[in-house]
Amino acid sequence: MSKFADRIARVQPSAIRDLLRYGDDPSITSFGGGYPDPALFPTVELQQVFSDILATESATALQYTASAGLPAMRAQIAKRMSEGGTPTDVDDVLVLQGAQQGLDLVAKLLIDPGDVIVTENPTFLGALIAFNPYQPEYAAVDIDEDGMDVEVLEETLRSRSDVKFIYVIPDFQNPSGVTLSLERRRRIVELAEEFDVLVLEDSPYRDLRFEGEQLPTLRSLDSENRVIHLGSFSKILAPGVRMGWVSAGPTILEKLGLLKLAADTQSSTLNMTAVTRFLETFDIDAHIAHARVVYRQKRDLMVTTMAEEFPAEVALTRPEGGLFTWVTFPEGFDSAAFMAEHALPEARVAYVPGGTFFPTAERSNFARFSYSGQSDEAMVDALTRLGGILTRTM
Amino acid sequence: MSKFADRIARVQPSAIRDLLRYGDDPSITSFGGGYPDPALFPTVELQQVFSDILATESATALQYTASAGLPAMRAQIAKRMSEGGTPTDVDDVLVLQGAQQGLDLVAKLLIDPGDVIVTENPTFLGALIAFNPYQPEYAAVDIDEDGMDVEVLEETLRSRSDVKFIYVIPDFQNPSGVTLSLERRRRIVELAEEFDVLVLEDSPYRDLRFEGEQLPTLRSLDSENRVIHLGSFSKILAPGVRMGWVSAGPTILEKLGLLKLAADTQSSTLNMTAVTRFLETFDIDAHIAHARVVYRQKRDLMVTTMAEEFPAEVALTRPEGGLFTWVTFPEGFDSAAFMAEHALPEARVAYVPGGTFFPTAERSNFARFSYSGQSDEAMVDALTRLGGILTRTM
């Protein structure tokens, strides 16, 4: 039988996939997936929007359209980005099948086998899954409470001539929950200019800040169109409509548009029409303001419960937004083995063991917990059960 | 500025893209895009389906789900394929963002730079657009009224050791409208076995047969899981929901599932739920039966009008289904130049010049016309105008 392409050696089942399965077992309380709280979906509004569209403009909404996306949707996205401090024109925006598609298309645009992508260490597993088929090498730069260490980044860029882009999740990073400081945002853009590389800014959680001050996007700090910005409606509207976008300079955006056409022709005309109408008709900022209150309360509950129930030597981040906290167990602890041997069978709790978030050398003593997907009661019960077993076994 | 990956040399704007733009100019009658007739969209049924889903199951329909697609949708697709003569299990099916995504993912799975894809000559431009970034070479095998010439195919497979797969559109081929004969279907599967290559069967028009007998899929003739089958709801339901699928053997399907996860996480949960509910609730076969009547009448009208109004030396195919007829002008005629100089400015008519459908050596004297997208009156008027200018200039 014909053999697969060489790139397929890099395409393997991942921990995230298995973990999403635990989410379907009702006896398991899963903190695994980055699922938004379904109680926050604007169901009534979407019902009205879909009903109106199918009643009055189904001939266009169910038909093919331009691969770049509906101009009215791109205009709404440009308006929101501009109002959020990143001046953006309708022609700077391409609609995507979720921000995930942007990770695929940007790697397809830039990466020849052996090219280097600089990432945060740890970084988003879904990005590694998207990048891997293009056979990059990774240079993983450690993070602290202010995000990527820019001194290590500078050393990395100085020592490697084959870096194509720096991948960064500046707001409430996945998996760590930390936010890149303003000073470091500026420094990353400066370094990109100095070393002539691009920056891929992935910010699906940006609007979900529930404390502290909003920081400028890297794209807004960039005067050379070096920053490619990915955004998403998955966390502020609903993931099931699969709507994200990329904003970039014209040369890059034109090529990404051609790659979008090649990959899937276009995103759903119906869903683009619906999201556009939602944005035109309803106040998404009021909707997001409510989501922020909910997620803040959930973060507080998770952080407080973990502090009370987990052994004192377990550390965790206190994110200012987004969906995740990052738990650090003592050196030598194996969070994957603990999950298989204790958390799942005894506590009936799932999380994401941290190992696979490290692109170059896995570390065993971390775990990602999402506070978005469980009710308060289920969260407290599950974390209490887990804390008991941690105390007993550690 | 960082340079693009090598593959981007193969990513260029295409004729299809420019032509889709003419479709937006109301003064131009376009036979260009393969747009289904919007009067056939089951608007009322879809309105009911979306309304029901958003009222009763929005928490799951707007949420993330498994990247392979909803099991209930995969089951409906397997049932339809099985009833259509291709025994298919729910586990043999992966939901895609239109069949176009299957073209991208299959090339991603199989093609290293320089590997050979055998295609029909001419073939679907969208497939070349999907394949090109993986840097294949093409071996284009001429077609006649029974589809791909299997003797030339055999010579090709014998003379080239680097063929990865044979790409074939067996039913009402795009762009030519011809259908692959049963004998040749069997022969292609035999040759794939003999020369140990795969077959990519792309059949988005299969259900739109309006005369003649349905022929078995290549996948149903294959006992070694060498055939990868792509299907689509774009032409039988609506393109704007972006729903297609791939059916293949387990080893291939598992890898395609991982590539789907990497590319865009999953297709829209909402749209998958809606299409599933539509298939469970309504009689799609009755809907398709109606579409067949409409398209048959449109084909008749186009073929008859062209025969009456075009010069006698212009030949055309009479497809038994699908959306396209293929027009052959005399040797030396340049259909692209004629369109720019006469068809667009004088007749206000657009079609797709045939050159770009030929993967290896463009031929100038062909054109693809779609009969699906225009009203009867607009079609006759436009073809009459075009015929007058053809008669005058040829």
Side-chain angles (χ1 to χ4, degrees):
Chain A
M1 192 67 82
S2 297
K3 73 173 185 60
F4 296 145
D6 288 345
R7 70 179 66 84
I8 300 304
R10 299 279 295 266
V11 178
Q12 299 298 334
S14 83
I16 265 197
R17 211 169 198 220
D18 289 337
L19 276 157
L20 291 176
R21 289 203 193 105
Y22 292 122
D24 295 335
D25 179 343
S27 80
I28 301 282
T29 302
S30 176
F31 301 107
Y35 284 34
D37 182 350
L40 295 169
F41 297 153
T43 300
V44 173
E45 293 85 347
L46 287 175
Q47 198 180 357
Q48 179 185 324
V49 159
F50 274 94
S51 182
D52 286 354
I53 289 166
L54 287 166
T56 61
E57 51 184 306
S58 62
T60 50
L62 293 171
Q63 190 56 280
Y64 288 111
T65 189
S67 65
L70 292 179
M73 178 159 179
R74 292 160 53 217
Q76 285 289 329
I77 291 167
K79 178 165 165 276
R80 274 190 64 73
M81 285 201 62
S82 299
E83 288 168 358
T86 309
T88 304
D89 186 75
V90 58
D91 291 330
D92 305 332
V93 176
L94 177 71
V95 178
L96 298 175
Q97 183 74 351
Q100 179 74 23
Q101 187 173 43
L103 303 171
D104 175 43
L105 298 186
V106 169
K108 199 172 185 177
L109 178 69
L110 296 173
I111 299 300
D112 286 315
D115 284 346
V116 174
I117 302 174
V118 177
T119 72
E120 292 150 323
N121 196 39
T123 189
F124 173 42
L125 179 56
L128 301 178
I129 289 172
F131 299 157
N132 280 342
Y134 302 101
Q135 299 163 278
E137 291 182 25
Y138 295 109
V141 175
D142 278 354
I143 58 172
D144 61 26
E145 65 277 15
D146 289 324
M148 185 183 272
D149 184 326
V150 290
E151 291 183 16
V152 177
L153 172 62
E154 182 173 358
E155 284 163 31
T156 302
L157 293 171
R158 203 172 293 286
S159 65
R160 307 204 58 158
S161 60
D162 44 3
V163 172
K164 276 296 185 73
F165 66 88
I166 304 162
Y167 173 64
V168 61
I169 306 164
D171 303 301
F172 333 119
Q173 199 241 13
N174 183 357
S176 70
V178 305
T179 293
L180 190 66
S181 70
L182 176 56
E183 187 186 359
R184 290 190 183 179
R185 289 173 194 237
R186 293 193 198 283
R187 186 65 187 142
I188 289 175
V189 172
E190 274 175 16
L191 289 170
E193 291 181 11
E194 182 179 343
F195 291 94
D196 193 20
V197 300
L198 298 176
V199 177
L200 178 56
E201 174 179 47
D202 184 13
S203 199
Y205 316 105
R206 179 169 176 77
D207 282 329
L208 294 184
R209 176 180 280 280
F210 37 71
E211 69 184 30
E213 202 178 334
Q214 190 70 296
L215 296 176
T217 63
L218 277 73
R219 181 149 172 79
S220 73
L221 301 172
D222 158 41
S223 58
E224 296 186 348
N225 271 329
R226 284 186 183 279
V227 178
I228 303 169
H229 178 96
L230 299 179
S232 176
F233 288 102
S234 290
K235 308 307 191 284
I236 56 175
L237 198 61
V241 295
R242 305 304 302 129
M243 284 287 146
W245 71 90
V246 57
S247 173
T251 311
I252 288 171
L253 206 69
E254 191 217 349
K255 292 295 184 191
L256 290 175
L258 293 171
L259 291 174
K260 166 74 178 169
L261 180 72
D264 65 3
T265 315
Q266 56 160 98
S267 288
S268 163
T269 319
L270 180 62
N271 294 9
M272 287 194 281
T273 308
V275 171
T276 307
R277 185 65 55 84
F278 180 91
L279 294 170
E280 289 168 350
T281 311
F282 300 102
D283 183 354
I284 193 173
D285 290 317
H287 175 71
I288 293 168
H290 174 57
R292 287 190 191 120
V293 172
V294 170
Y295 287 131
R296 179 188 186 130
Q297 184 269 333
K298 283 181 181 289
R299 180 222 42 192
D300 286 346
L301 191 64
M302 176 169 274
V303 168
T304 307
T305 309
M306 283 180 167
E308 284 169 4
E309 303 293 339
F310 283 15
E313 58 267 47
V314 177
L316 47 119
T317 57
R318 189 174 188 284
E320 296 185 333
L323 305 181
F324 306 111
T325 188
W326 182 241
V327 174
T328 304
F329 298 99
E331 285 286 337
F333 184 92
D334 185 333
S335 64
F338 178 81
M339 182 157 139
E341 291 159 19
H342 297 288
L344 282 171
E346 296 170 29
R348 314 295 294 164
V349 168
Y351 51 79
V352 188
T356 52
F357 294 107
F358 294 92
T360 50
E362 295 204 0
R363 299 179 193 172
S364 69
N365 61 316
F366 295 89
R368 191 193 76 179
F369 283 71
S370 167
Y371 41 79
S372 61
Q374 298 293 342
S375 71
D376 291 359
E377 194 184 345
M379 187 198 290
V380 171
D381 286 355
L383 293 177
T384 303
R385 292 198 301 274
L386 190 64
I389 294 166
L390 278 169
T391 304
R392 178 161 57 73
T393 57
M394 269 172 60
Chain B
M1 193 66 83
S2 296
K3 74 174 184 61
F4 295 145
D6 288 343
R7 70 179 67 84
I8 301 304
R10 300 278 296 265
V11 178
Q12 300 298 333
S14 83
I16 266 196
R17 209 167 202 223
D18 289 337
L19 276 157
L20 291 176
R21 287 202 194 107
Y22 292 122
D24 294 336
D25 178 344
S27 80
I28 301 281
T29 303
S30 176
F31 301 108
Y35 283 34
D37 182 351
L40 294 170
F41 297 154
T43 301
V44 174
E45 293 86 345
L46 286 175
Q47 198 179 0
Q48 181 185 322
V49 159
F50 274 94
S51 182
D52 286 355
I53 289 167
L54 288 166
T56 61
E57 51 184 306
S58 63
T60 51
L62 293 170
Q63 189 56 280
Y64 289 110
T65 189
S67 66
L70 291 179
M73 177 159 180
R74 292 160 52 217
Q76 286 288 330
I77 291 167
K79 178 164 164 277
R80 273 190 64 72
M81 285 201 63
S82 299
E83 289 169 356
T86 308
T88 304
D89 186 76
V90 58
D91 291 330
D92 304 332
V93 175
L94 177 71
V95 178
L96 298 174
Q97 182 74 355
Q100 180 73 23
Q101 188 173 42
L103 302 172
D104 175 43
L105 298 186
V106 169
K108 199 172 185 177
L109 178 69
L110 296 173
I111 300 299
D112 286 316
D115 283 346
V116 173
I117 302 174
V118 177
T119 71
E120 291 151 324
N121 196 40
T123 188
F124 173 43
L125 179 56
L128 300 178
I129 289 172
F131 299 158
N132 280 341
Y134 302 101
Q135 300 164 276
E137 292 183 26
Y138 295 109
V141 174
D142 278 354
I143 58 172
D144 60 26
E145 64 276 14
D146 288 324
M148 184 183 272
D149 184 327
V150 290
E151 289 183 17
V152 177
L153 172 62
E154 183 174 357
E155 285 163 30
T156 303
L157 293 170
R158 202 172 294 284
S159 65
R160 307 205 57 158
S161 62
D162 44 3
V163 172
K164 275 296 185 71
F165 66 88
I166 304 163
Y167 172 64
V168 60
I169 307 164
D171 304 301
F172 333 120
Q173 199 241 12
N174 183 356
S176 70
V178 305
T179 293
L180 189 66
S181 69
L182 176 57
E183 188 186 0
R184 290 190 183 179
R185 289 172 194 239
R186 294 195 198 282
R187 186 65 186 143
I188 289 175
V189 173
E190 273 175 18
L191 288 170
E193 291 181 10
E194 181 178 342
F195 291 95
D196 194 21
V197 301
L198 299 175
V199 177
L200 178 56
E201 175 179 45
D202 184 12
S203 199
Y205 316 106
R206 179 170 176 77
D207 282 328
L208 293 183
R209 176 181 280 280
F210 36 70
E211 68 184 31
E213 202 178 334
Q214 190 70 295
L215 296 176
T217 63
L218 277 73
R219 180 150 173 80
S220 73
L221 301 172
D222 157 41
S223 58
E224 295 185 348
N225 270 330
R226 284 186 183 280
V227 178
I228 303 168
H229 179 96
L230 299 179
S232 174
F233 287 102
S234 290
K235 308 308 191 281
I236 56 174
L237 199 61
V241 294
R242 305 303 302 130
M243 284 287 146
W245 70 91
V246 56
S247 173
T251 310
I252 289 171
L253 206 71
E254 190 216 350
K255 291 296 184 191
L256 290 175
L258 293 170
L259 291 174
K260 166 76 178 169
L261 180 73
D264 65 5
T265 314
Q266 56 160 99
S267 289
S268 163
T269 319
L270 180 61
N271 294 9
M272 286 194 283
T273 309
V275 172
T276 306
R277 185 64 55 83
F278 180 90
L279 295 169
E280 290 168 349
T281 310
F282 300 101
D283 183 354
I284 193 172
D285 291 317
H287 175 71
I288 294 169
H290 174 57
R292 286 189 191 122
V293 172
V294 170
Y295 287 130
R296 180 188 186 130
Q297 184 270 331
K298 282 181 181 289
R299 180 219 46 189
D300 287 345
L301 190 64
M302 176 169 275
V303 168
T304 306
T305 309
M306 283 180 168
E308 284 169 4
E309 303 293 339
F310 284 15
E313 58 268 45
V314 178
L316 47 118
T317 57
R318 189 174 188 282
E320 296 185 333
L323 305 180
F324 306 111
T325 189
W326 182 240
V327 174
T328 305
F329 298 98
E331 284 286 339
F333 184 91
D334 185 332
S335 64
F338 178 80
M339 182 158 140
E341 291 160 18
H342 298 288
L344 281 171
E346 296 171 29
R348 312 296 294 164
V349 168
Y351 52 79
V352 188
T356 52
F357 294 106
F358 294 92
T360 51
E362 295 204 0
R363 299 180 193 172
S364 68
N365 61 316
F366 296 90
R368 190 192 76 180
F369 282 72
S370 168
Y371 40 79
S372 61
Q374 297 293 342
S375 71
D376 292 357
E377 193 185 345
M379 187 198 290
V380 171
D381 286 354
L383 293 178
T384 303
R385 292 197 302 273
L386 190 64
I389 294 166
L390 277 169
T391 304
R392 179 161 58 73
T393 56
M394 270 172 60

